[in-house]
mmCIF file of all heavy atoms in Angstrom:
data_model
loop_
_atom_site.group_PDB
_atom_site.id
_atom_site.type_symbol
_atom_site.label_atom_id
_atom_site.label_comp_id
_atom_site.label_asym_id
_atom_site.label_seq_id
_atom_site.Cartn_x
_atom_site.Cartn_y
_atom_site.Cartn_z
ATOM 1 N N LEU A 100 -1.840 -9.209 -10.703
ATOM 2 C CA LEU A 100 -2.850 -8.667 -11.693
ATOM 3 C C LEU A 100 -2.149 -7.670 -12.557
ATOM 4 O O LEU A 100 -2.358 -7.630 -13.817
ATOM 5 C CB LEU A 100 -4.023 -8.198 -10.989
ATOM 6 C CG LEU A 100 -4.931 -9.117 -10.352
ATOM 7 C CD1 LEU A 100 -6.076 -8.524 -9.673
ATOM 8 C CD2 LEU A 100 -5.446 -10.164 -11.322
ATOM 9 N N VAL A 101 -1.262 -6.808 -12.062
ATOM 10 C CA VAL A 101 -0.551 -5.855 -12.809
ATOM 11 C C VAL A 101 0.500 -6.590 -13.768
ATOM 12 O O VAL A 101 0.451 -6.177 -14.903
ATOM 13 C CB VAL A 101 0.246 -4.803 -11.905
ATOM 14 C CG1 VAL A 101 1.200 -3.891 -12.742
ATOM 15 C CG2 VAL A 101 -0.787 -3.922 -11.158
ATOM 16 N N LEU A 102 1.121 -7.563 -13.069
ATOM 17 C CA LEU A 102 2.076 -8.295 -14.098
ATOM 18 C C LEU A 102 1.322 -9.054 -15.278
ATOM 19 O O LEU A 102 1.844 -9.345 -16.261
ATOM 20 C CB LEU A 102 2.791 -9.359 -13.247
ATOM 21 C CG LEU A 102 3.929 -8.749 -12.328
ATOM 22 C CD1 LEU A 102 4.435 -9.723 -11.369
ATOM 23 C CD2 LEU A 102 5.050 -8.265 -13.362
ATOM 24 N N ALA A 103 0.054 -9.388 -14.936
ATOM 25 C CA ALA A 103 -0.675 -10.182 -15.921
ATOM 26 C C ALA A 103 -1.312 -9.194 -17.024
ATOM 27 O O ALA A 103 -1.888 -9.645 -17.952
ATOM 28 C CB ALA A 103 -1.842 -10.920 -15.349
ATOM 29 N N GLY A 104 -1.020 -7.935 -16.884
ATOM 30 C CA GLY A 104 -1.514 -6.959 -17.819
ATOM 31 C C GLY A 104 -2.943 -6.469 -17.616
ATOM 32 O O GLY A 104 -3.582 -6.005 -18.451
ATOM 33 N N LEU A 105 -3.520 -6.634 -16.463
ATOM 34 C CA LEU A 105 -4.943 -6.441 -16.228
ATOM 35 C C LEU A 105 -5.149 -4.975 -15.661
ATOM 36 O O LEU A 105 -6.320 -4.632 -15.330
ATOM 37 C CB LEU A 105 -5.559 -7.452 -15.327
ATOM 38 C CG LEU A 105 -5.432 -8.848 -15.936
ATOM 39 C CD1 LEU A 105 -5.988 -9.799 -14.937
ATOM 40 C CD2 LEU A 105 -6.264 -8.971 -17.169
ATOM 41 N N GLY A 106 -4.125 -4.217 -15.625
ATOM 42 C CA GLY A 106 -4.272 -2.784 -15.131
ATOM 43 C C GLY A 106 -3.004 -2.401 -14.470
ATOM 44 O O GLY A 106 -2.088 -3.122 -14.324
ATOM 45 N N ILE A 107 -3.063 -1.007 -14.084
ATOM 46 C CA ILE A 107 -1.984 -0.499 -13.310
ATOM 47 C C ILE A 107 -2.485 -0.486 -11.807
ATOM 48 O O ILE A 107 -3.728 -0.663 -11.629
ATOM 49 C CB ILE A 107 -1.539 0.914 -13.691
ATOM 50 C CG1 ILE A 107 -2.769 1.889 -13.784
ATOM 51 C CG2 ILE A 107 -1.026 0.837 -15.130
ATOM 52 C CD1 ILE A 107 -2.903 2.640 -12.543
ATOM 53 N N GLY A 108 -1.623 -0.290 -10.836
ATOM 54 C CA GLY A 108 -2.020 -0.300 -9.482
ATOM 55 C C GLY A 108 -1.723 1.080 -8.914
ATOM 56 O O GLY A 108 -0.766 1.826 -9.318
ATOM 57 N N LEU A 109 -2.385 1.539 -7.851
ATOM 58 C CA LEU A 109 -2.075 2.770 -7.121
ATOM 59 C C LEU A 109 -1.810 2.189 -5.635
ATOM 60 O O LEU A 109 -2.791 1.770 -4.986
ATOM 61 C CB LEU A 109 -3.178 3.711 -7.117
ATOM 62 C CG LEU A 109 -3.492 4.217 -8.512
ATOM 63 C CD1 LEU A 109 -4.894 5.099 -8.465
ATOM 64 C CD2 LEU A 109 -2.385 5.102 -9.071
ATOM 65 N N GLU A 110 -0.591 2.174 -5.331
ATOM 66 C CA GLU A 110 -0.148 1.576 -4.101
ATOM 67 C C GLU A 110 1.040 2.175 -3.469
ATOM 68 O O GLU A 110 1.779 2.900 -4.153
ATOM 69 C CB GLU A 110 0.190 0.125 -4.379
ATOM 70 C CG GLU A 110 0.473 -0.868 -3.330
ATOM 71 C CD GLU A 110 -0.678 -1.003 -2.216
ATOM 72 O OE1 GLU A 110 -1.723 -1.520 -2.475
ATOM 73 O OE2 GLU A 110 -0.395 -0.556 -1.134
ATOM 74 N N ARG A 111 1.350 1.901 -2.285
ATOM 75 C CA ARG A 111 2.519 2.424 -1.613
ATOM 76 C C ARG A 111 3.760 1.668 -2.204
ATOM 77 O O ARG A 111 3.719 0.549 -2.584
ATOM 78 C CB ARG A 111 2.513 2.243 -0.075
ATOM 79 C CG ARG A 111 2.306 0.791 0.307
ATOM 80 C CD ARG A 111 2.050 0.428 1.689
ATOM 81 N NE ARG A 111 1.065 1.185 2.317
ATOM 82 C CZ ARG A 111 1.028 1.652 3.656
ATOM 83 N NH1 ARG A 111 2.082 1.321 4.429
ATOM 84 N NH2 ARG A 111 0.050 2.327 4.145
ATOM 85 N N GLU A 112 4.829 2.463 -2.150
ATOM 86 C CA GLU A 112 6.100 1.886 -2.649
ATOM 87 C C GLU A 112 6.630 0.658 -1.967
ATOM 88 O O GLU A 112 7.011 -0.309 -2.610
ATOM 89 C CB GLU A 112 7.238 3.007 -2.690
ATOM 90 C CG GLU A 112 8.445 2.555 -3.407
ATOM 91 C CD GLU A 112 9.547 3.688 -3.305
ATOM 92 O OE1 GLU A 112 9.391 4.670 -2.639
ATOM 93 O OE2 GLU A 112 10.503 3.470 -4.082
#
Side-chain angles (χ1 to χ4, degrees):
L100 293 175
V101 170
L102 284 169
L105 298 175
I107 57 94
L109 297 171
E110 185 60 66
R111 58 183 53 213
E112 184 178 13

